[in-house]
Amino acid sequence: IVGHTNGNLGGQTRTGSRDAFIVDASCPVHFDWAVKGGGTGDDRGRGVVYGDGKVFISGTFGGTATFGSTSLTSAGDLDIYFAALNPNSGAYLWAVRVGASGEDQQLSPHPIEYGDGKLFATGQISGNTAFGSTTLTGRGFFVSALNVSDQSFIWAVKIADGGSFGTGVALGDGKLFVVGEFEGTSTCGSATVTSSGSEDVFISALNPTNGACIWSVKGGGSGRDEAYSVVFHGGTVYVTGFIYSTDATFGNTTLAAT
């Protein structure tokens, strides 16, 4: 379980306006351990996934934040962090950050995924941001892959500009599926899509090895429409989110917000 708290947690004192936390619970319900991470800023836990014998978490932090013996300092108002923990004890193994001079964020409940030694992530960057040797320019919707063995970024791509936001990632059928919201025009590989309203739903399939776009589609209408989470099962990609449009179109189906 990952999230954030504005109080103290299990004898651990909150150090900022909010701190991130992660809790391990057994079934029937029994809390095995709970740890926090953060500092004096607004720190939040957003994503959690298990893989490679570790628990991986992600979220946002401001200022200087401590995760076990690792201290990270944000480049701007908010940065994004990724961390690994021992699933038996909750001890932090490592933590890294990315971000620019503004607010770099993850807002959804499933912004990370693990597979084949990589931690995949999505969210929004506020400006020019270095992911290892790759620098993405401008504000927009990013997707990245982190090598968990040495915490180096393998690749990073930006799918859309401006207020566009990546919200969910999922692996399946040899592809990495990414969802979110975008505004204006977005080019992903050979596919170019244009929003019908202020923001539309974006669904894309990427090559998990190098981040190359395989295909992308959009859905939505004249208002703001956003995908929030994605899962893959049995050859089908399932997406959920919300619509404000009264004419949100997904293929042959049109939905109306009430």
Side-chain angles (χ1 to χ4, degrees):
I1 304 168
V2 70
H4 52 268
T5 177
N6 57 6
N8 299 328
L9 178 70
Q12 302 171 76
T13 303
R14 172 178 54 86
T15 52
S17 58
R18 291 184 181 90
D19 280 355
F21 73 81
I22 181 168
V23 172
D24 177 63
S26 301
C27 293
V29 177
H30 171 74
F31 290 111
D32 297 313
W33 51 258
V35 297
K36 75 175 190 71
T40 57
D42 188 351
D43 312 309
R44 304 190 182 202
R46 292 298 187 188
V48 59
V49 67
Y50 178 86
D52 192 37
K54 304 175 183 68
V55 175
F56 301 101
I57 64 170
S58 71
T60 57
F61 76 100
T64 298
T66 300
F67 301 89
S69 60
T70 302
S71 290
L72 305 176
T73 300
S74 63
D77 296 332
L78 290 175
D79 276 9
I80 296 169
Y81 69 83
F82 305 103
L85 295 88
N86 184 317
N88 298 315
S89 64
Y92 281 101
L93 303 174
W94 52 257
V96 297
R97 55 153 293 277
V98 294
S101 58
E103 292 189 354
D104 308 284
Q105 301 185 68
Q106 291 183 314
L107 293 178
S108 63
H110 191 68
I112 56 174
E113 177 75 296
Y114 173 85
D116 193 26
K118 304 178 186 70
L119 186 65
F120 301 98
T122 190
Q124 184 190 68
I125 54 173
S126 62
N128 297 355
T129 303
F131 293 80
S133 60
T134 301
T135 297
L136 304 182
T137 58
R139 183 179 178 223
F141 176 161
F142 81 88
V143 188
S144 66
L146 178 75
N147 186 331
V148 301
S149 64
D150 62 6
Q151 298 86 65
S152 63
F153 283 97
I154 302 168
W155 55 260
V157 296
K158 194 173 72 166
I159 293 179
D161 295 321
S164 305
F165 216 109
T167 54
V169 287
L171 285 167
D173 193 32
K175 302 176 183 66
L176 178 69
F177 300 100
V178 186
V179 300
E181 67 172 60
F182 80 105
E183 57 184 359
T185 299
S186 171
T187 299
C188 185
S190 60
T192 297
V193 293
T194 301
S195 62
S196 302
S198 56
E199 288 95 11
D200 274 4
V201 170
F202 189 96
I203 307 168
S204 181
L206 280 66
N207 184 326
T209 302
N210 56 18
C213 189
I214 300 169
W215 55 256
S216 61
V217 295
K218 77 171 186 81
S222 55
R224 179 186 177 188
D225 309 300
E226 179 182 330
Y228 207 59
S229 189
V230 57
V231 296
F232 177 89
H233 178 71
T236 300
V237 180
Y238 299 92
V239 181
T240 188
F242 60 83
I243 59 171
Y244 285 113
S245 298
T246 56
D247 55 353
T249 300
F250 299 87
N252 295 323
T253 301
T254 299
L255 304 176
T258 55

